[in-house]
Amino acid sequence: MLRIITMILSLIAVITVQLIVNVFSINGKTTIEIMNRLPILFTPPSYVFGIWLLIYGCLVVWLFGFWRNQRQQSNDILNFRATLFILSVFLTILWLLLWQYEYFHWTVIVMIALLVTLARLYFTYPKIENHLFERVPISIYFGWVIISFIELINYVLTFSECGGWGISHSLWTVIFLTIATLIALHFMSHHQDLSLHAVFMWVFIGLVVKIVFDSLFVSFSSLFLTFVIGAS
């Protein structure tokens, strides 16, 4: 009982922090305001970030499934998943706070730790597992963090006034989109993960909507790669 209570309180804590940074702001700015400060082509429109509502809703369902199915799992795997989940929530809170106070380089380190944690949690499930009470919520969470990490790298490079090593901003964006597509294709090929796939497509379509006329190269590339992911 203590285990599930701790997990529930952890989820409530991260939802509370998320609400504060996006609605009421910390350090005088909201998350979106900081994000839109720099001209990052990889940044999707604000409505795409509404996926957090889906993520937290799915995690509520996941916690219910965790509690309901705990008799069907060994105590060791339950404790391992609970530990990883609580750690992922803590790292998400740390990520949000570091971002708000503009410690962007530290945010990269925290997000790497978050990716490793979620990957470890993801791989505790069977390779082909697409049940709403099992891997699906973790897949959506994991997929969004992967996209957010790529977006963060773009932001930090621009913030640090990186010259791009002779490569244009548009081409770098397409390179990162291609890397994201390869990741999505890997998880579809090896794990048949439709949920993670859908997250990537949601973001790519958002990019098309945002920059359709600002950069035709990026928008057409995003649209093409969306079809590539969808067709796989």
Side-chain angles (χ1 to χ4, degrees):
M1 183 61 71
L2 179 61
R3 178 174 57 205
I4 193 66
I5 290 175
T6 304
M7 295 170 75
I8 292 172
L9 291 176
S10 299
L11 183 57
I12 292 173
V14 72
I15 291 174
T16 302
V17 172
Q18 186 76 249
L19 182 65
I20 292 172
V21 300
N22 282 289
V23 178
F24 302 105
S25 81
I26 292 179
N27 198 30
K29 299 171 286 293
T30 65
T31 298
I32 301 299
E33 287 172 345
I34 298 173
M35 184 66 68
N36 291 333
R37 183 187 302 166
L38 297 179
I40 311 298
L41 290 176
F42 198 88
T43 302
S46 299
Y47 76 85
V48 171
F49 292 87
I51 195 174
W52 278 115
L53 296 174
L54 175 65
I55 290 171
Y56 291 132
C58 286
L59 288 178
V60 169
V61 173
W62 181 80
L63 283 178
F64 174 75
F66 184 95
W67 170 77
R68 188 190 67 172
N69 300 326
Q70 56 187 337
R71 293 184 179 179
Q72 302 172 19
Q73 302 283 347
S74 69
N75 203 48
D76 288 341
I77 190 64
L78 289 173
N79 285 335
F80 189 49
R81 286 177 179 169
T83 300
L84 290 171
F85 174 76
I86 294 169
L87 179 58
S88 72
V89 166
F90 169 76
L91 290 169
T92 300
I93 292 173
L94 190 55
W95 158 30
L96 294 171
L97 293 177
L98 286 171
W99 175 263
Q100 290 302 125
Y101 286 97
E102 303 185 24
Y103 294 111
F104 301 128
H105 294 87
W106 283 106
T107 305
V108 172
I109 296 173
V110 170
M111 286 204 70
I112 291 173
L114 177 57
L115 281 169
V116 172
T117 302
L118 285 175
R120 193 67 191 90
L121 178 57
Y122 181 95
F123 292 123
T124 63
Y125 290 97
K127 270 199 167 185
I128 302 175
E129 165 53 69
N130 287 304
H131 197 285
L132 184 59
F133 291 104
E134 297 290 344
R135 194 183 69 183
V136 167
I138 304 303
S139 296
I140 297 172
Y141 190 9
F142 186 33
W144 178 248
V145 171
I146 292 172
I147 289 291
S148 297
F149 180 71
I150 296 173
E151 184 181 347
L152 175 63
I153 295 300
N154 276 264
Y155 193 95
V156 170
L157 289 174
T158 303
F159 178 79
S160 302
E161 299 182 349
C162 174
W165 301 286
I167 300 175
S168 69
H169 190 184
S170 296
L171 184 54
W172 270 119
T173 303
V174 173
I175 290 172
F176 281 116
L177 285 169
T178 304
I179 292 171
T181 301
L182 292 174
I183 293 172
L185 294 178
H186 168 81
F187 279 97
M188 189 61 185
S189 174
H190 295 280
H191 302 275
Q192 297 185 17
D193 197 331
L194 296 172
S195 303
L196 190 143
H197 237 46
V199 172
F200 281 61
M201 293 177 67
W202 168 252
V203 174
F204 283 20
I205 292 171
L207 289 174
V208 174
V209 171
K210 180 184 177 183
I211 59 175
V212 60
F213 296 119
D214 294 334
S215 176
L216 291 177
F217 177 48
V218 175
S219 58
F220 278 119
S221 297
S222 298
L223 189 60
F224 171 73
L225 292 174
T226 301
F227 281 116
V228 170
I229 294 174
S232 64

